[in-house]
Amino acid sequence: MVAESFPWWLRITHWFNFFFLILLFRSGYEILMSHPKLYWHDDAEPGTEWLRAGDRERSTEFDKEVIEDDELWAAEDEIDPPSALVSLPGRDAIGMGRHWHFWGALGWTLCGLFYVGALFTTGEWARLVPTSLAIFPEAWDNLLTYLQFRIPHGDGGYNALQQLTYFSVVFILSPVMILTGILQAPAFRAHLQGWFSVNRQFNRSVHFIGFVAFNVFLFGHVALVAAHGFWSEMQLIVIGPGEPTGALAAGWTAIFGTAPTGYELTVALTLLGVGIVGSFAGFATWVTLRDPDRTQNWLEIVVDPLLHRLFTHVTFYDGDDVEEYSDFARVNGKPPRNDAYREHFEHDFEDWTVTVDGEVEHELEFSTEEIRELAKQEHVTRHDCIQGWTYYAKWGGVPISAFIERCNPDDDVEWVVFWTLDEKWEYSEDGPFEEVDDAVPEFYYEAIRLEKAREPRSILAYEMNDGDLPVAHGAPYRLRIESQLGYKMAKWVNRIEFVEDFEDIGKGKGGWRDDVLNYYPNSADI
Ligand SMILES: Nc1nc2c(c(=O)[nH]1)N[C@H]1C(S)=C(S)[C@@H](COP(=O)(O)O)O[C@H]1N2
Ligand SMILES: [Mo]
């Protein structure tokens, strides 16, 4: 057997690929388990999953018109927090899981681009890209040979089945993962409207199948390396064939007095590499659980501006509307239970007002009648929760632009903060948190960009599916915008504030969920 010699860049990217894949697997698993159900249709109707995990099953029947009801569940109750051994960061932390996933995805993509670039500039591509159809019957032969627990003979220990598999992973599976990842963005749905063109559940499902395929590949790959002779194969990819020479071997000689054998140096470097990847996995979980805010700031440095860039041009699409809406709509965020809200509820929200203030020329206050007098707008949009579930609903209400015109914000205003009467009691003593940080405002709020608030389909809704807005969905008013994630669409809104930035609000991250749960502040587009 002729020993192969892999170029240095291939050996290095091999390690980086391993590093990023482990990161992506673990953080991806965290994201998946925040809604461990997979569907083909964007209604994400309970009971229509093709795959589900965990026992967090909920009935579809509950009263959305009551404040206090133990039967009323939020989609957050469906989260099945995985162990930190298999997920990053582990526990109930989809916000941080996403930060790691996007960070990992960027690193992995850059590593992949470098690898593919090097493949084609060095001629190494010929090792991967099949040039004859004969590869298919050959690969089939190889498979049959493996199935008999024998090793097929190929050129330089490299056979057609391996070539075909590597080719598929690099040129089919990887692009599919990138595409189905990005296409889950609500920003893209708004842009490429239609039921099936950018079906989030379809992309989520395919992304999951790709995740399984990657795992099968990884384990299969390691198993075959072992079958071919683990350490001799490892030597080829870690240091190259023959007796080791060069700086590493010289360093070894300086420390230990004798020159290393290929086997010794390979074992040492492999342990080191696996050790680094393993320690980093442990470190990432530890640092995230210990200091999520600081970890978030670090992970955002390059990724957040990049996400903003990626999606900033992919905003509102004023094309054909979807007509139908889903039979069932999940709820996230349970109705407020404070006395003020209860009182409004008793009085059919008649005295509820919406205050418009901040850096504006005219501070305003709107009564129920005044809001009903403004021109009403209706449309169907898809709701995309950060957890992964979706539904279509028809909303009726007042365009935010109507408020903007009347209050006339100052020139330097960039953000619109939607304040609510929601005290988030689920996250107090009764919830997963002992207590929410003092710095976080008493009530739920979220900031959206002024240009987003101006879009034609950004409305303050008071109707849903041709009826009054149900209590659970935000009665009497909730924000609806196109192309962002659900958590931005505050429910039970009573104040609209125009600001230059949100640094002085709460922990300065742009919203209650950004402050408390480390969601992305600026890019709620994916
Ligand atoms: N006041 C308030 N608004 C909120 C939330 C909340 O907890 N409190 N949750 C958000 C999240 S995470 C989602 S997905 C949507 C859910 O909207 P729905 O319950 O109408 O489906 O509301 C958003 N608005
Ligand atoms: Mo959400």
Side-chain angles (χ1 to χ4, degrees):
M1 190 164 92
V2 189
E4 282 172 281
S5 170
F6 296 110
W8 64 270
W9 52 264
L10 194 144
R11 305 209 307 261
I12 302 249
T13 47
H14 198 247
W15 280 111
F16 274 98
N17 193 28
F18 176 55
F19 172 86
F20 283 119
L21 276 184
I22 297 294
L23 202 77
L24 287 171
F25 284 179
R26 294 178 73 233
S27 54
Y29 194 59
E30 174 91 39
I31 297 171
L32 174 73
M33 293 310 275
S34 78
H35 189 72
K37 293 169 183 160
L38 293 166
Y39 319 81
W40 293 116
H41 200 277
D42 261 342
D43 291 329
E45 195 179 329
T48 64
E49 307 90 1
W50 65 268
L51 193 69
R52 73 187 137 230
D55 53 1
R56 313 261 165 142
E57 283 309 313
R58 304 290 158 168
S59 117
T60 55
E61 304 294 331
F62 52 76
D63 192 344
K64 293 186 172 178
E65 289 297 359
V66 292
I67 291 183
E68 224 165 311
D69 178 358
D70 292 337
E71 297 294 306
L72 177 69
W73 51 274
E76 278 171 294
D77 297 334
E78 289 174 85
I79 300 178
D80 210 333
S83 142
L85 279 180
V86 287
S87 70
L88 175 61
R91 312 212 189 133
D92 185 357
I94 184 185
M96 287 310 301
R98 281 159 45 93
H99 277 81
W100 278 111
H101 203 69
F102 296 155
W103 188 83
L106 179 64
W108 181 71
T109 305
L110 291 178
C111 171
L113 288 177
F114 174 72
Y115 167 81
V116 172
L119 265 190
F120 285 100
T121 45
T122 58
E124 284 285 320
W125 62 270
R127 232 201 267 250
L128 245 68
V129 182
T131 44
S132 136
L133 284 178
I135 192 162
F136 289 103
E138 269 177 53
W140 179 247
D141 271 354
N142 296 153
L143 181 68
L144 294 179
T145 314
Y146 278 122
L147 289 177
Q148 295 159 11
F149 296 102
R150 291 188 293 120
I151 304 292
H153 295 286
D155 248 0
Y158 190 62
N159 60 53
L161 183 63
Q162 277 171 304
Q163 182 178 5
L164 208 56
T165 311
Y166 299 161
F167 174 80
S168 313
V169 168
V170 175
F171 293 103
I172 300 172
L173 187 54
S174 298
V176 163
M177 289 309 267
I178 294 171
L179 207 66
T180 53
I182 288 184
L183 285 180
Q184 287 177 55
F188 275 115
R189 197 230 37 117
H191 195 61
L192 312 164
Q193 193 134 357
W195 279 87
F196 296 104
S197 58
V198 189
N199 173 329
R200 191 181 189 209
Q201 299 307 337
F202 175 84
N203 285 307
R204 225 175 135 249
S205 290
V206 175
H207 203 67
F208 171 78
I209 293 169
F211 164 72
V212 173
F214 253 115
N215 275 280
V216 169
F217 167 72
L218 193 72
F219 287 104
H221 180 58
V222 173
L224 283 194
V225 166
H228 282 248
F230 190 74
W231 290 113
S232 58
E233 291 284 309
M234 281 305 282
Q235 172 166 358
L236 295 182
I237 195 77
V238 175
I239 59 169
E243 286 308 306
T245 52
L248 275 173
W252 177 289
T253 314
I255 296 171
F256 298 106
T258 53
T261 62
Y263 168 75
E264 283 168 343
L265 195 58
T266 304
V267 172
L269 288 177
T270 304
L271 290 181
L272 184 71
V274 173
I276 289 176
V277 172
S279 324
F280 189 84
F283 167 76
T285 286
W286 175 78
V287 74
T288 308
L289 294 179
R290 207 184 117 103
D291 194 347
D293 292 342
R294 189 151 349 148
T295 312
Q296 169 173 13
N297 291 341
W298 280 99
L299 290 176
E300 270 177 8
I301 290 175
V302 180
V303 179
D304 200 42
L306 200 80
L307 286 179
H308 183 60
R309 283 242 146 170
L310 182 62
F311 293 112
T312 190
H313 303 293
V314 191
T315 54
F316 178 73
Y317 171 78
D318 198 10
D320 293 340
D321 208 340
V322 176
E323 291 298 329
E324 293 162 77
Y325 48 81
S326 309
D327 292 335
F328 180 76
R330 278 185 170 74
V331 165
N332 234 2
K334 293 182 186 176
R337 291 184 174 179
N338 60 71
D339 291 342
Y341 187 80
R342 281 178 204 268
E343 193 135 327
H344 281 296
F345 174 75
E346 300 292 327
H347 296 94
D348 287 335
F349 304 107
E350 272 168 13
D351 302 326
W352 188 287
T353 54
V354 176
T355 306
V356 178
D357 62 4
E359 297 165 40
V360 295
E361 191 184 347
H362 313 288
E363 294 202 347
L364 305 163
E365 191 175 83
F366 289 84
S367 67
T368 307
E369 293 79 43
E370 284 164 336
I371 288 191
R372 296 300 189 285
E373 276 164 18
L374 300 173
K376 181 175 154 192
Q377 183 178 312
E378 288 182 318
H379 57 250
V380 174
T381 57
R382 190 182 74 190
H383 183 90
D384 290 48
C385 177
I386 198 168
Q387 288 174 263
W389 51 271
T390 42
Y391 66 80
Y392 277 89
K394 181 173 176 185
W395 307 94
V398 181
I400 307 299
S401 57
F403 299 105
I404 299 178
E405 273 162 31
R406 284 167 178 77
C407 73
N408 190 23
D410 298 351
D411 286 344
D412 43 17
V413 163
E414 279 189 35
W415 297 88
V416 191
V417 185
F418 289 81
W419 290 94
T420 74
L421 200 51
D422 174 15
E423 79 279 22
K424 289 304 289 172
W425 59 268
E426 323 98 279
Y427 280 81
S428 62
E429 313 81 68
D430 313 326
F433 289 80
E434 315 281 80
E435 64 195 280
V436 169
D437 201 317
D438 283 346
V440 177
E442 198 184 338
F443 295 105
Y444 192 95
Y445 76 98
E446 285 291 340
I448 66 167
R449 285 187 182 274
L450 181 63
E451 68 245 36
K452 188 132 273 306
R454 280 213 169 97
E455 283 174 2
R457 291 193 198 191
S458 301
I459 64 172
L460 193 67
Y462 51 79
E463 282 180 4
M464 179 183 184
N465 298 343
D466 297 313
D468 285 344
L469 188 64
V471 166
H473 287 289
Y477 303 110
R478 66 98 43 92
L479 174 66
R480 288 306 310 174
I481 47 181
E482 186 110 52
S483 81
Q484 291 213 307
L485 290 171
Y487 71 92
K488 283 287 167 197
M489 299 175 215
K491 308 195 281 189
W492 311 291
V493 170
N494 59 2
R495 180 178 166 212
I496 305 175
E497 186 191 11
F498 291 81
V499 296
E500 194 182 330
D501 59 55
F502 44 69
E503 264 150 44
D504 298 332
I505 303 175
K507 287 165 81 179
K509 291 187 176 179
W512 190 93
R513 286 182 187 266
D514 315 272
D515 284 345
V516 177
L517 302 172
N518 299 102
Y519 287 4
Y520 263 89
N522 297 353
S523 178
D525 307 313
I526 179 162

